[in-house]
Amino acid sequence: MNPISVAIATLIHYNVEVRDTLEYCINKTQYDTRLYDEKKRAILIEIEEKTPLKDILSRSGDNGAKLEKQIREFHEEVYGDGSTILKKADDGLRVDAAQHLAIYKHVIPVHEQVNAIILGLINDAHKNKQDVAQVEALWNADERFYRGLAMMTLTADLIKLFDDFNKAMRENKGQPNPSSNFIQQDITMVIGHINTVRVNARVPQLDYKEGVEDKVTALVENISGRRELKPGLKLPDVFRDVQTSIADYVKSTEGVFRTLYVPAMQALIEQAKVDQAKRESGAIPETPTPTEKVEEKKESFGEGDDIPLSLDGNKA
C-alpha cells in the first residue's frame, strides 16, 4: 500500500466504526458487548493518537477543531461512561430505543464530514496519478452500504413516529396536543436527517436511486400529504414496500462491502509490519506511522475476532 492508500483505508476503517453505531437504532434482542467496546475505544482514539484523521484535523484550523469537538461530544453522549443511550450491564448491553434521534444527531454529521475528507484524498490521488484503486473500490462499496443502512434505520423510525403521531391525534379527537406536537418535532428532525443522507449520497446506481432514494422520498411526501397514494394502496402497503426494498438493497450491498473490507484491512496490517521492519533496520525513522496504530488495534483482524458486526448478527 502506498502512503495515500494507507491514509484512505485508515479513514474508511474509522468511518465504519462511526457507521456501525447505527446498529443501535435497530431493535434487537441482544448486542455484542465486544463490538461495543471496540467502537467505544475506536471513536475517540483516532483523534488522540498519531493517525491520518488526527493529522488532518490538526492542519485544518477552525474546521478541524470543530470536527474534533463534534467527535468528542459524540463519544461522550453515546459511548461515554455516563451515557443513558448505551449502557453495559451484567446481562449485556442495554440500548435505550427511545433515543435513536440522539444517535443520528452525531453519527450522520460526523460520517458525512469524514466521508468528505476521504473523497478529497481520493480526488487528490487521481490528480497526482497515484494508484488508489483498491481503497477507492472499498470506499464506493461502503458509500453504497452506508446510504442504504442510514435510510433503513431512519425510515423505520419515521414510520414509528408517524404511527405514534396518529395515535396521539386520535386520543385527542383529532386535535393537536403537546404529545402530538412533540412527536411532530421528532418527525421533522428525522426527515431532516433523511434529506442530509440523500443530498450527500454519491450513489448513481439505479438499485439505490429507484429502490431506496425514490421510495423514501415518495414515502415522506405521502405522509406529509404532498403526494397522493397510488390507486388501491394504503399507507401500510407503502410502508411494507419501502422497508422491503431497502432491506433487500442493504443485504446485497453489505455482502459486497464485506468482500472488499477484510482484504483491505489485512493489507493495511501487512503494510504496518513492513514499516515496522524498516524502522528496526534503520531504513526509516522511529516515528510511528498511522499503519502502526492499525496493527496494534487489529492484529487479529481477518481471523474473525474484531470484524465489525453484520446486520444479521454475524461478522461483517
Side-chain angles (χ1 to χ4, degrees):
M1 264 191 177
N2 56 34
I4 189 67
S5 291
V6 167
I8 293 168
T10 306
L11 287 164
I12 291 173
H13 167 67
Y14 182 75
N15 238 11
V16 166
E17 301 285 2
V18 174
R19 181 203 72 199
D20 281 357
T21 304
L22 292 176
E23 175 191 357
Y24 306 119
C25 294
I26 300 172
N27 293 326
K28 298 166 62 175
T29 57
Q30 189 175 8
Y31 300 87
D32 191 323
T33 56
R34 293 183 308 110
L35 292 173
Y36 161 79
D37 289 338
E38 165 59 18
K39 288 193 282 284
K40 179 176 181 176
R41 183 193 57 75
I43 295 298
L44 201 58
I45 200 170
E46 293 293 320
I47 60 170
E48 293 189 332
E49 297 194 4
K50 183 178 175 58
T51 66
L53 180 59
K54 178 65 175 177
D55 180 56
I56 289 168
L57 295 183
S58 67
R59 293 186 285 105
S60 299
D62 290 343
N63 288 335
K66 182 179 178 181
L67 179 52
E68 181 172 339
K69 182 174 182 290
Q70 285 181 293
I71 291 170
R72 291 188 183 280
E73 290 173 349
F74 168 26
H75 184 272
E76 180 64 24
E77 186 171 355
V78 179
Y79 289 103
D81 293 337
S83 173
T84 60
I85 301 170
L86 308 177
K87 198 75 175 177
K88 285 184 72 175
D90 292 339
D91 59 347
L93 183 67
R94 296 179 181 175
V95 179
D96 184 356
Q99 296 198 64
H100 289 180
L101 267 66
I103 294 176
Y104 297 133
K105 178 183 74 174
H106 294 291
V107 168
I108 291 173
V110 169
H111 188 282
E112 295 295 359
Q113 291 179 79
V114 175
N115 208 42
I117 293 171
I118 294 168
L119 186 59
L121 291 177
I122 291 173
N123 289 337
D124 286 345
H126 288 170
K127 292 176 184 176
N128 296 323
K129 302 188 183 306
Q130 295 170 298
D131 180 14
V132 291
Q134 181 184 20
V135 290
E136 185 173 7
L138 175 61
W139 175 79
N140 276 301
D142 180 58
E143 170 74 352
R144 281 171 52 75
F145 178 39
Y146 166 74
R147 300 295 160 184
L149 177 60
M151 286 296 201
M152 184 179 78
T153 54
L154 286 163
T155 298
D157 277 314
L158 177 62
I159 291 170
K160 181 181 183 303
L161 286 167
F162 181 72
D163 287 341
D164 291 344
F165 173 79
N166 280 282
K167 180 181 179 182
M169 291 288 286
R170 286 194 302 270
E171 290 174 350
N172 202 45
K173 298 180 180 179
Q175 296 301 311
N177 57 70
S179 178
S180 65
N181 290 339
F182 180 77
I183 297 169
Q184 181 65 54
Q185 291 175 2
D186 286 350
I187 289 174
T188 299
M189 284 190 283
V190 170
I191 291 174
H193 291 313
I194 286 173
N195 288 335
T196 297
V197 172
R198 178 181 58 81
V199 300
N200 286 288
R202 292 176 174 84
V203 185
Q205 292 88 351
L206 291 181
D207 59 346
Y208 172 77
K209 300 298 288 185
E210 295 181 348
V212 178
E213 191 175 281
D214 291 352
K215 286 181 178 289
V216 172
T217 299
L219 170 65
V220 170
E221 293 182 350
N222 284 149
I223 67 174
S224 63
R226 288 183 288 130
R227 179 186 299 218
E228 292 183 345
L229 292 171
K230 292 181 179 180
L233 291 182
K234 296 182 179 180
L235 274 174
D237 301 320
V238 175
F239 295 162
R240 283 191 295 272
D241 176 62
V242 171
Q243 291 183 298
T244 299
S245 183
I246 298 175
D248 289 344
Y249 173 85
V250 167
K251 183 177 180 180
S252 66
T253 55
E254 183 186 13
V256 175
F257 166 76
R258 281 199 239 176
T259 300
L260 297 174
Y261 186 65
V262 172
M265 294 302 105
Q266 289 172 333
L268 200 56
I269 293 167
E270 291 304 313
Q271 185 62 51
K273 293 177 180 178
V274 169
D275 292 344
Q276 178 62 30
K278 288 181 178 179
R279 275 192 299 277
E280 290 174 354
S281 68
I284 60 176
E286 286 295 323
T287 304
T289 64
T291 50
E292 238 189 294
K293 300 302 178 185
V294 175
E295 184 178 16
E296 290 170 4
K297 293 182 295 184
K298 295 287 185 182
E299 57 186 6
S300 62
F301 199 100
E303 298 172 4
D305 290 334
D306 294 311
I307 303 173
L309 186 67
S310 163
L311 297 183
D312 61 9
N314 299 315
K315 296 291 184 177

